[in-house]
Amino acid sequence: MCGIIAHIGDERVLNPIVTGLEKLEYRGYDSAGIAVKNGSGLDVWKCSGRVSDLKETIDGEESKANLGIGHTRWSTHGPPSDENAHPHTDGSDRVAAVHNGIIENHESIKERLIEEGYEFTSDTDTEVIPNLIAYYLDRGNEALSAFEQTIDDLEGSYAIAVIVDGIDSIFAARRGSPLVLGIEDESYYLASDVPAFLDHTDEVVYLEDGDSIEVREERVNFIDENDQTAQHEIEQVDWQPEETGKGQYDHFMLKEIHSQPTSLQKTVEGRLDTDAGTTDLDIDKDLSDIDTVHLVGCGTSYHAALFGASLLNRCDVSARAIRASEYEANTGTPPGNRLFVAVTQSGETADTLGALWQANEAGVETLAVTNVVQSTAAREADEALYIRAGPEIGVAATKTFSSQAVLLTMLSQHLARVNESGNRVEDADELVADLMELPDEVEHILQSSDTARLARKFLHSESYFFIGRGLGCSVAKEGALKFKEITYEHAEGFASGELKHGPLALVTEKTPVFAVCAEDNEKTVTNAKEAQARGASIVAVSPPDHGIVDTADDHLYVPDLHSVCSNLLANVQLQLLSYHCATELDRAIDKPRNLAKSVTVE
């Protein structure tokens, strides 16, 4: 992994491919490369480092090529290096390939090809693809047949794009990793994600799992997993090109933090009835007899799942948040009727999809809570609920966490109403009313936050602790994750009561503790005092009249609203804290080291 762009048209393709790679930088990567068919062979440029380094490598080169492929790589097999960067070619440079995912049987394929005299120069699993295509070409197969036979030989997950010298086509396939076709008159794009070509077209076709495709200037041929010609509808993306730019902001992350009033407004639009104090998610499935709910996600999405599970349990609907990578090992086959909720921003996270497929195979009812229309999770689940947050470019998720948490809040109220065991919370009217006001309250936090000052004050601390109870626990964990993701400083999030069961041994005067007290829970005050007694500075993230303010050394304001909304506003404060600390440390905020936006390998 991590980003694929390919283009064929009646113009020189080098510039659109470079631009596409720049648009895909948000996915996270450590090397980049391009291959084009120039009329007398294939030209390949690739290097470790940034797309800007690749542009320097290409600088001054002239190419009239009208088709090519590009890639940004996030290392899985082999370290970042020029040799391991994509595209990879066969030994004769007839075939070039880019690939996201993992070829699980690459070692056995490689051994077979080496015995046949084919040479390998990288550490990657991807290199078997062009060599295997060359193997079939050497045995008299046409290019399309050689590509299809290669795909049949591969095991694992992948999105692949290939060009062959002398052939005016791009060949591509997907299994378990996203790939989307963009259509612009008689010009075509293939990419891992829509922003790569959104400046050129908003008409797209989402490839289905198992699809392969041949793209020529004049036509596109789809072949499904049963080797049958397939037809797909052209859809129109409702994102605008400017949504994928930074605009007036220094970083995508800051832009996305500040866009939360808009994204939250879209999340709740048409889904809240303030007069009745109810939510309407337009769910077709009958969920009245669900016994337990499993909310499954990774990273930030897992923290949103924790938030949702807490609310469901408060509504007497049995719920459990589970890390997607641990789903198979920790669930078994519970009795009764289960609802599986996949929480995934991209809808393409490999661990979450694996858990979703396991639930589908078990006959469990499944929902996807996702941001991306027609993503794999949206198509594979029985039903999809979209958070409508718009494109998120920064690797560290911000606005999507808020929208996921709000949508799961609405789902909890829906299940409380329709489920046989559920009970509508007593303050449901207040909750719905405050959710309607949440976008305005976020804007107030954005305009008044004191996090820039606190970032400077605690900049050179040894560790940063975040604590909270109930809903505040998930916010604390998310605050710590955001902090470590973009500052590279040590940060941990704990349930407040667990501080004294081990972590307190790490507390010193250089360990500020951020205590999320966005609801009435005095026990967290006691836990904070325990840390303060060991020399820690306490920062209260709370309404101004909460008891912890009298104890704390500093205070980050949140309004005294329903606990759901106050906790989500506390989360905004912690997002800003992370951002300002990372800025002071001059970190690569939008592209943190070693991380990728959409993790499509397990």
Side-chain angles (χ1 to χ4, degrees), residues 77-78 83-84 88-89 103-133 135 150 153-155:
H77 292 76
E83 293 77 18
N84 289 335
H88 287 286
T89 60
I103 306 303
E104 295 175 355
N105 61 336
H106 73 279
E107 290 184 357
S108 61
I109 294 174
K110 185 175 181 177
E111 290 173 2
R112 174 160 60 96
L113 291 173
I114 289 174
E115 290 177 0
E116 294 287 344
Y118 293 85
E119 297 181 355
F120 291 79
T121 60
S122 79
D123 303 313
T124 70
D125 55 335
T126 302
E127 198 176 1
V128 302
I129 298 170
N131 280 287
L132 195 52
I133 293 171
Y135 170 85
T150 295
D153 287 350
L154 302 180
E155 297 175 4

Side-chain angles (χ1 to χ4, degrees), residues 292-299 301-306 309 319-332 334 338-343 351-352 355 358:
T292 186
V293 181
H294 285 171
L295 299 104
V296 180
C298 301
S301 293
Y302 169 70
H303 295 152
L306 279 173
R320 177 184 172 197
I322 306 170
R323 298 183 189 275
S325 58
E326 294 292 305
Y327 184 75
E328 183 176 4
N330 285 286
T331 53
R338 188 183 358 156
L339 173 65
F340 178 102
V341 182
V343 187
D351 289 322
T352 307
Q358 181 184 340

Side-chain angles (χ1 to χ4, degrees), residues 4 35 42 44 46 69-71 85-90 95-99 126-131 133 147 160-164 171:
I4 288 174
L42 302 180
V44 179
K46 61 180 184 174
I69 55 178
H71 190 264
H86 297 209
H88 287 286
T89 60
D90 68 305
V95 183
V98 294
H99 159 235
T126 302
E127 198 176 1
V128 302
I129 298 170
N131 280 287
I133 293 171
F147 178 74
I160 297 168
V162 169
I163 58 175
V164 180
F171 304 99

